[in-house]
Amino acid sequence: MKLTFVWLFSLVFLYHGQAQENSIILNNPSLQQLFSTIEAHSDYKFAYDNKLDIAEKMGFTVTIDPNDIETTIAALEKKSRYTFGRQGHNITVKPIPSQGQETYTLSGTILNEQHHPVSGANISIKERRTSVPTDDEGRFSVRLPNGHYTLRISHMGYLDMEDQVWLRSDMAKDYTLSADSETLEEVVITEKRKNIAEIKKPQMSVNRLSMEQIKRTPVVLGESDPLKSLMQLPGVTSAGEGASGFNVRGGAADQNLMLLDGAPIYGDSHLFGFFSVFNADAISGLELYKGGIPSKFGGRVSSILDVRQKTGDYRDFHMNGGIGLISSRLTAEGPLERDKGSFMLSGRSSYAHLFLKLANQDNSGYFFDLNTKLNYTLNENNSLYLSGYYGRDVFDINDLFFSSYGNAMLNLRWRHRFSEDLTADLTTFYSDYRFGLELDFADFMWNNAVESYGLKYDFSHRFSDDFSLQYGVNSLYYDFNPGTLEPSGPASIINFMQLDKKYALEPSLYIDAEHTLSEKLTVRYGLRYSQFYRFGQEDVNRYEHNRAVVFNPVFGIYEKGTPIGSTSYGRGEKIASFSNLEPRIGISYALDDNTSLKASYNRMTQYLHLLANTQSPTPVNIWTPSGPFAQPQLLDQVAMGYFKNFADDTYTIETEAFYKTVQNRIDYIDGAELIANNAIEQVILNGEARSLGWEFLLRKNTGRLTGWVAYTLSRAEQRTPGHTPEEPGIANGAWYLSPYDKLHNVVITSVYELNDKWSFAANFALQSGRPVTHPNGQYQIGGITIPSYGSRNDSRLPAYHHLDVAATYIPKPKRKKGWQSEWVFSIYNLYNRMNAASIRFATNEDTGINEATRLSIFGIIPGISYNFKF
């Protein structure tokens, strides 16, 4: 009996061991690997629809017993997202329908290696062929049916990351992205590949640049500059060399809304255009919307520049900065409370004026600015953010001329999460721009300013993977001081004068929906409703036939109208009001995973006007609100585009065609006086503008050599007719070139990574000369030579072009902690092209011959800077 028992036990043990030995273990196999393994070790065959993604991973370990396939299939049905129908030895595989499944929330936070939130990172879910972005806290949230998912996290400037998630309940997972410069093989990837989700998004006409790209771009005087870098992308041109402002798709500089952490910035430059107000060390990212603008943005008719300051490190304190030839900067950041709050403080200043003092020169000119951002997480659902900016420029010329101007901004935001699908941001801010001028030789001072106070309440509401809403309300209150003139000494002959201050309120509300209608078709549509109220205290002139500008047929010129009276409005009394509906729509149709067609339409309203008789905004220019004689500007823009990734995302093509019209674009009569004019309506005429063009952008995203080629072909025109058919208006009422017209604009930008220590960058720019009005003849009256002029803007400056180069040297590239540094060597305008900023016509006193003299600002300019962090 005992012998029998031992024999039976040995037989069972032997059978069990043989079964274990014959079992096949697959660790997280794909469906294809599972099917081929079972078919190779049994008589079973699998059948499935060719749309089934057989490359998808199972998400768990599978044990296959060739002698008991039925048990294997039964186990698979319990753990996987598929049904396995069996008819004999044929197995039909189908995915389990999502309807009726339990859904759960997958959420988390994406950080970089410095523990900064990564805003705008893309989390794509392969199995759902969808994606979600992170907010400015680096957080994401998505609801999914229970099951296994493959997440791919990507962002420009970081290495992609993949993770397998088995979602059986609500889950929170955090991820840390690594910079793409860990090794030589990785540093060559300077532009993150566009993925399926990006191709399918209905958003178009957006320029984005990473801070890495901005800091490696060669610019004048060796200072990294976000605004100058934007001008290397299609559809964006400069107002002129060394000038502030930028022009987008033929629009004026004042038609661009610049936002810093959501608050408007009115002056964009330091040192009259040599530097922008945005310190690259304090910025985390920026986006320029040229068209297809979401409904949450309004107030300008050309573009929206959305700039965000970076969030400080939540865990470690560190500093970084740079020393250049004429300016230096220093940034400090660290935790206020570990993992709950942080701060960022950044300062920048120029010091070229100190060299003038050493040379016994009384002249001086310098700037400084400060950026700060504080954030604190109160609890899981509530966070506070405080942002600030203060900048000033100071000029002192031989104790005869003193000028100071700059921006200030303070912004407080409270973010509240009602749920993973509904988030709200309540923001209040103050922003101002001030300009002061003192002329000692004339003993007078001149000051003007614009102040704005804002309140915004924005909601982000996701109803499903296929449908989400953005909606909210906001209000802006303006206080305009167009000018205060006062004596500065007892000998002054100037009397005190205060131009009429102006007050206005701009409330609005909006709703914006993003709707995925099918796997190929996605639509974004919305509506913005804006209002504008102009308030007293002010005396408003009345004119005959309500014409503040009249035409003199005898001399053939426009002249100031003569008031026939005035109407007095008390403080807070309404002078004028306007309201406008601003619809927006964007459509994306994906031809395949790498190709899409897009189209958009948007209407926008601008209630503010910048009074300037030059093509680039200078500090003395004056903002004024719409009113009885200056109507709001109204934009209508349509755009169509083609977007393509090819050669395994090595190259991308983005090309767009656009057409836009602007109503109520003001222009000035000849000889217009804009400064200290309390009746500005007497020198302006209302007209219209239009522009159309084609933009092309080819990027090379991978390899040692990366970069892009951008080309824009465009035309920008204005028309300012007279009040009656008998009046000529400007240029006889015909269309004339806008001052911002640039027919051709070519930019070639490249970066070459030689090794982990050296990289080189080059940038070539070529654009048509700016339209100007030059004299076409002359005549004499009483022995005085008077020039005569042709039509408005019927001439051009010579073509503008230059080549810039830079080299970056990192002494110890492997060092990731402690003192890290780099040297940046740059040459602006390598071949010393003397581009014309203007041309002056005069008579040579010696020869009596008329001469044209070209005024150029920059020749060749070398630069060097030392950057560090620790």
Side-chain angles (χ1 to χ4, degrees):
M1 185 68 179
K2 181 183 294 187
L3 183 61
T4 303
F5 177 78
V6 172
W7 181 82
L8 289 174
F9 179 80
S10 301
L11 183 64
V12 171
F13 180 81
L14 179 64
Y15 175 80
H16 178 72
Q18 188 175 14
Q20 290 292 323
E21 183 178 349
N22 292 334
S23 294
I24 303 168
I25 299 176
L26 301 178
N27 184 22
N28 190 22
S30 65
L31 285 174
Q32 183 178 26
Q33 184 180 1
L34 176 72
F35 296 163
S36 60
T37 302
I38 292 178
E39 288 178 347
H41 293 83
S42 70
D43 295 330
Y44 286 91
K45 301 295 181 184
F46 289 88
Y48 49 86
D49 191 290
N50 58 10
K51 294 182 180 179
L52 184 69
D53 185 6
I54 60 175
E56 179 184 351
K57 298 288 187 178
M58 300 295 292
F60 52 87
T61 299
V62 178
T63 301
I64 301 173
D65 184 354
N67 300 313
D68 191 2
I69 297 297
E70 290 290 335
T71 300
T72 300
I73 296 301
L76 287 173
E77 285 186 322
K78 291 181 180 180
K79 299 178 67 175
S80 73
R81 301 192 305 112
Y82 305 93
T83 61
F84 297 84
R86 294 177 292 284
Q87 292 183 349
H89 284 80
N90 296 320
I91 303 174
T92 302
V93 183
K94 295 181 180 180
I96 298 174
S98 298
Q99 291 80 1
Q101 279 187 277
E102 291 290 333
T103 60
Y104 301 105
T105 298
L106 174 64
S107 60
T109 303
I110 310 298
L111 302 174
N112 62 18
E113 294 170 305
Q114 290 73 43
H115 314 126
H116 295 153
V118 180
S119 172
N122 190 73
I123 298 90
S124 60
I125 298 95
K126 178 181 178 182
E127 292 75 12
R128 305 287 292 182
R129 301 180 70 84
T130 188
S131 67
V132 292
T134 57
D135 60 20
D136 54 8
E137 292 179 300
R139 298 186 63 172
F140 71 93
S141 175
V142 60
R143 290 193 65 81
L144 298 168
N146 65 303
H148 172 264
Y149 298 100
T150 304
L151 305 184
R152 185 178 183 86
I153 303 106
S154 61
H155 191 276
M156 184 184 301
Y158 297 93
L159 297 176
D160 287 357
M161 171 184 290
E162 277 199 3
D163 187 30
Q164 306 292 326
V165 173
W166 180 250
L167 193 63
R168 299 176 178 175
S169 61
D170 290 345
M171 179 184 296
K173 295 200 71 174
D174 297 338
Y175 299 94
T176 299
L177 293 181
S178 299
D180 63 1
S181 56
E182 291 294 322
T183 66
L184 178 60
E185 288 73 21
E186 293 162 346
V187 78
V188 298
I189 307 174
T190 60
E191 177 74 20
K192 185 58 60 184
R193 302 177 182 182
K194 289 184 175 294
N195 52 35
I196 296 174
E198 187 70 22
I199 285 290
K200 292 184 176 181
K201 283 183 179 179
Q203 182 63 61
M204 62 184 299
S205 305
V206 176
N207 288 346
R208 297 183 177 92
L209 282 177
S210 68
M211 287 302 102
E212 181 69 18
Q213 289 173 305
I214 291 172
K215 290 183 176 181
R216 288 179 179 265
T217 300
V219 292
V220 65
L221 301 176
E223 178 79 14
S224 298
D225 195 311
L227 282 189
K228 303 299 183 186
S229 300
L230 276 176
M231 297 171 195
Q232 298 176 9
L233 295 170
V236 187
T237 59
S238 65
E241 193 166 45
S244 61
F246 58 98
N247 308 118
V248 176
R249 290 184 170 177
D254 67 296
Q255 294 175 331
N256 306 314
L257 176 62
M258 293 178 294
L259 299 172
L260 182 61
D261 282 347
I265 299 294
Y266 297 97
D268 65 357
S269 68
H270 288 302
L271 296 182
F272 297 101
F274 289 104
F275 298 92
S276 82
V277 297
F278 302 117
N279 180 355
D281 284 353
I283 302 302
S284 66
L286 54 83
E287 295 178 327
L288 178 68
Y289 295 86
K290 302 177 294 185
I293 299 173
S295 301
K296 69 180 294 185
F297 298 115
R300 298 295 188 275
V301 295
S302 192
S303 74
I304 307 294
L305 178 61
D306 190 16
V307 182
R308 298 174 301 277
Q309 295 190 116
K310 71 178 182 180
T311 302
D313 196 318
Y314 281 90
R315 298 177 183 175
D316 301 313
F317 174 83
H318 52 87
M319 302 180 72
N320 65 278
I323 302 172
L325 292 179
I326 67 170
S327 68
S328 291
R329 60 198 186 278
L330 185 65
T331 301
E333 58 179 300
L336 294 171
E337 182 178 346
R338 186 175 175 84
D339 293 329
K340 293 197 67 174
S342 68
F343 75 92
M344 184 277 297
L345 179 64
S346 183
R348 182 174 55 155
S349 178
S350 66
Y351 38 74
H353 64 290
L354 298 179
F355 299 108
L356 296 176
K357 299 297 183 182
L358 293 175
N360 294 321
Q361 293 286 331
D362 294 331
N363 302 336
S364 66
Y366 64 93
F367 77 89
F368 66 90
D369 56 24
L370 294 170
N371 294 75
T372 187
K373 186 172 184 179
L374 310 175
N375 52 283
Y376 192 80
T377 302
L378 301 174
N379 53 44
E380 184 179 358
N381 295 318
N382 294 279
S383 301
L384 289 177
Y385 303 85
L386 180 66
S387 300
Y389 172 85
Y390 184 82
R392 282 294 181 269
D393 283 71
V394 176
F395 290 89
D396 187 358
I397 309 298
N398 291 324
D399 293 327
L400 298 176
F401 169 94
F402 177 83
S403 175
S404 174
Y405 65 90
N407 300 275
M409 182 275 287
L410 189 65
N411 182 344
L412 178 63
R413 177 164 61 97
W414 168 43
R415 166 161 290 184
H416 176 68
R417 294 182 181 274
F418 294 95
S419 68
E420 291 294 344
D421 296 323
L422 178 59
T423 303
D425 287 280
L426 179 62
T427 307
T428 180
F429 63 81
Y430 168 81
S431 179
D432 75 22
Y433 175 81
R434 299 178 181 274
F435 172 78
L437 172 66
E438 183 175 353
L439 297 180
D440 290 343
F441 65 88
D443 288 330
F444 80 86
M445 295 184 295
W446 167 268
N447 294 278
N448 67 63
V450 54
E451 298 177 272
S452 59
Y453 306 81
L455 182 66
K456 301 194 295 184
Y457 203 15
D458 302 304
F459 293 84
S460 178
H461 198 165
R462 188 183 67 254
F463 291 88
S464 68
D465 292 345
D466 298 330
F467 185 76
S468 61
L469 286 179
Q470 306 279 334
Y471 52 89
V473 296
N474 57 70
S475 182
L476 268 170
Y477 180 78
Y478 299 98
D479 184 343
F480 301 92
N481 177 13
T484 303
L485 183 65
E486 56 184 309
S488 61
S492 176
I493 61 173
I494 300 297
N495 294 322
F496 177 86
M497 181 176 66
Q498 173 63 63
L499 301 185
D500 290 338
K501 293 186 176 182
K502 299 174 174 62
Y503 308 92
L505 177 67
E506 184 180 347
S508 61
L509 56 89
Y510 71 92
I511 185 169
D512 206 66
E514 186 164 334
H515 196 174
T516 301
L517 299 177
S518 69
E519 185 176 331
K520 292 182 176 292
L521 184 62
T522 305
V523 182
R524 183 169 190 164
Y525 50 90
L527 182 67
R528 183 181 183 89
Y529 177 65
S530 62
Q531 295 178 306
F532 192 81
Y533 299 93
R534 169 85 170 269
F535 297 116
Q537 183 176 0
E538 186 179 349
D539 292 336
V540 177
N541 291 330
R542 298 195 307 272
Y543 300 88
E544 187 176 3
H545 304 302
N546 200 35
R547 294 179 184 171
V549 179
V550 296
F551 181 69
N552 186 330
V554 177
F555 295 100
I557 61 173
Y558 280 95
E559 298 176 336
K560 299 178 181 179
T562 301
I564 60 175
S566 64
T567 302
S568 296
Y569 294 89
R571 184 67 182 267
E573 190 175 353
K574 185 176 69 175
I575 298 175
S577 65
F578 309 92
S579 62
N580 287 281
L581 287 172
E582 305 173 28
R584 322 280 175 88
I585 185 170
I587 302 173
S588 173
Y589 183 79
L591 301 177
D592 54 47
D593 287 347
N594 294 305
T595 312
S596 68
L597 300 174
K598 299 183 183 184
S600 68
Y601 163 79
N602 61 275
R603 164 166 277 219
M604 300 184 71
T605 307
Q606 179 170 335
Y607 296 102
L608 304 187
H609 306 269
L610 186 67
L611 302 177
N613 54 7
T614 59
Q615 278 69 56
S616 66
T618 57
V620 76
N621 292 340
I622 301 167
W623 289 92
T624 190
S626 295
F629 300 100
Q631 301 294 305
Q633 301 177 68
L634 299 176
L635 164 80
D636 290 285
Q637 179 175 214
V638 293
M640 295 181 291
Y642 172 81
F643 303 83
K644 174 76 173 178
N645 298 336
F646 58 97
D648 194 23
D649 291 346
T650 299
Y651 300 94
T652 60
I653 285 180
E654 303 172 23
T655 180
E656 295 186 30
F658 66 88
Y659 177 75
K660 67 180 185 180
T661 62
V662 177
Q663 303 175 45
N664 304 321
R665 180 61 183 167
I666 64 173
D667 209 337
Y668 311 100
I669 65 174
D670 293 332
E673 297 177 2
L674 303 180
I675 306 302
N677 189 343
N678 210 26
I680 202 69
E681 70 274 5
Q682 295 178 344
V683 297
I684 62 175
L685 292 172
N686 283 299
E688 58 183 328
R690 68 184 182 187
S691 61
L692 73 162
W694 174 67
E695 300 171 355
F696 174 82
L697 179 64
L698 170 65
R699 295 180 186 263
K700 184 177 185 295
N701 303 319
T702 62
R704 290 182 180 272
L705 178 66
T706 59
W708 63 83
V709 177
Y711 173 70
T712 305
L713 175 68
S714 64
R715 170 68 75 215
E717 298 175 310
Q718 290 183 224
R719 187 165 73 97
T720 310
H723 298 115
T724 66
E726 292 75 25
E727 291 185 16
I730 296 177
N732 293 316
W735 288 98
Y736 56 94
L737 293 179
S738 162
Y740 324 106
D741 176 80
K742 303 289 177 66
L743 182 62
H744 301 285
N745 183 27
V746 181
V747 175
I748 303 174
T749 297
S750 62
V751 176
Y752 181 75
E753 302 285 347
L754 178 64
N755 52 44
D756 56 357
K757 289 189 175 184
W758 283 97
S759 64
F760 302 92
N763 174 60
F764 174 75
L766 167 65
Q767 63 185 32
S768 300
R770 175 169 54 85
V772 292
T773 306
H774 286 159
N776 59 2
Q778 64 183 35
Y779 57 91
Q780 290 189 338
I781 298 179
I784 300 176
T785 301
I786 308 296
S788 63
Y789 293 86
S791 185
R792 181 77 60 95
N793 292 338
D794 62 349
S795 301
R796 282 188 183 272
L797 294 176
Y800 170 91
H801 55 87
H802 61 88
L803 172 65
D804 314 322
V805 295
T808 301
Y809 173 68
I810 304 175
K812 298 181 179 180
K814 301 299 184 182
R815 177 177 290 178
K816 301 302 177 184
K817 294 183 179 180
W819 187 273
Q820 304 167 62
S821 63
E822 67 175 16
W823 290 90
V824 180
F825 309 93
S826 65
I827 301 177
Y828 178 86
N829 197 358
L830 180 65
Y831 52 82
N832 199 31
R833 164 73 176 180
M834 303 305 293
N835 288 297
S838 64
I839 294 180
R840 184 175 64 89
F841 293 85
T843 301
N844 188 297
E845 295 182 356
D846 297 328
T847 64
I849 300 175
N850 293 333
E851 295 179 339
T853 304
R854 175 186 298 190
L855 173 64
S856 299
I857 298 178
F858 294 139
I860 182 171
I861 301 179
I864 181 172
S865 61
Y866 175 74
N867 301 320
F868 59 88
K869 60 181 178 180
F870 59 90

